[in-house]
Amino acid sequence: MNTDSNHEIKSNKQYNPQMHSAEHILNQTMVRMFNCGRSFSNHIEKKKSKCDYYFDRNLTSEEIDLINLKVNEVIQQDLFVKEEFYLKEEAEKTFNLSRLPGDAGDKVRVIKIGEYDACPCSGLHVTHTKEIGTFRIISTDFKDGVLRIRFKLINE
Ligand SMILES: [Zn+2]
């Protein structure tokens, strides 16, 4: 564990493990539904977040409903979120490591959300998916080959 970077993350008030965990589930849902890549760029904040995907069009309202449904289905399963460490050369065979910081060392931390998703990540996450709350897409738009999804979490 790199405790220095953890401390940095925790001291950032905007950092929200619920939102961050929801991003992992949204990405896997997009990959499964559309066979696209995970978001190449995102902005994750407590109130609302956005993820950008390389795509060929905007989403229909039926597709948005289906994504909401699927992400919330995964959250409601209350899956266990755990970290596993892989040697970098092992991780490279399975994962895209290009978004990890260059100084990550020779071990790669992979976050697994039940059997649903596995993704290299150095951030902070919930331990069970129900902690995330209810996922809701606020809006989507499409421009120049990029689909942007804005979403929020509702916690009662
Ligand atoms: Zn993460």
Side-chain angles (χ1 to χ4, degrees):
M1 283 298 295
N2 186 335
T3 46
D4 280 350
S5 71
N6 255 357
H7 179 75
E8 225 169 86
I9 289 166
K10 276 176 186 154
S11 62
N12 177 355
K13 285 200 193 87
Q14 284 295 336
Y15 198 91
N16 185 265
Q18 284 85 358
M19 266 294 191
H20 190 78
S21 306
E23 181 223 338
H24 283 241
I25 298 173
L26 172 63
N27 277 334
Q28 180 62 237
T29 302
M30 290 298 289
V31 170
R32 290 184 186 211
M33 276 181 67
F34 302 103
N35 205 23
C36 62
R38 303 178 79 94
S39 63
F40 65 92
S41 165
N42 59 60
H43 196 79
I44 305 296
E45 282 189 4
K46 194 174 174 143
K47 275 191 146 178
K48 57 182 180 179
S49 298
K50 56 191 179 191
C51 285
D52 290 346
Y53 301 86
Y54 294 121
F55 219 74
D56 55 359
R57 59 179 173 80
N58 204 343
L59 298 174
T60 66
S61 59
E62 289 79 13
E63 287 168 335
I64 291 171
D65 289 347
L66 206 59
I67 295 168
N68 281 329
L69 196 74
K70 185 67 205 173
V71 170
N72 285 312
E73 206 176 274
V74 173
I75 291 171
Q76 282 306 312
Q77 286 172 25
D78 208 18
L79 299 174
F80 184 50
V81 182
K82 63 174 178 179
E83 60 176 19
E84 283 182 5
F85 290 89
Y86 290 80
L87 285 174
K88 201 169 191 174
E89 55 199 47
E90 281 303 309
E92 271 166 355
K93 293 174 192 165
T94 316
F95 303 106
N96 176 4
L97 303 182
S98 62
R99 298 212 61 213
L100 286 184
D103 59 352
D106 57 353
K107 286 226 177 95
V108 175
R109 178 178 183 244
V110 173
I111 297 300
K112 292 193 170 172
I113 302 182
E115 297 293 312
Y116 191 70
D117 185 45
C119 180
C121 185
S122 55
L124 297 176
H125 308 84
V126 299
T127 52
H128 290 88
T129 55
K130 265 192 182 174
E131 294 164 50
I132 293 170
T134 302
F135 172 90
R136 182 97 1 115
I137 292 176
I138 302 165
S139 66
T140 69
D141 59 59
F142 177 77
K143 189 171 179 277
D144 299 331
V146 174
L147 170 69
R148 173 162 292 176
I149 298 180
R150 295 182 191 82
F151 60 95
K152 63 178 178 178
L153 299 177
I154 303 154
N155 295 286
E156 271 98 75

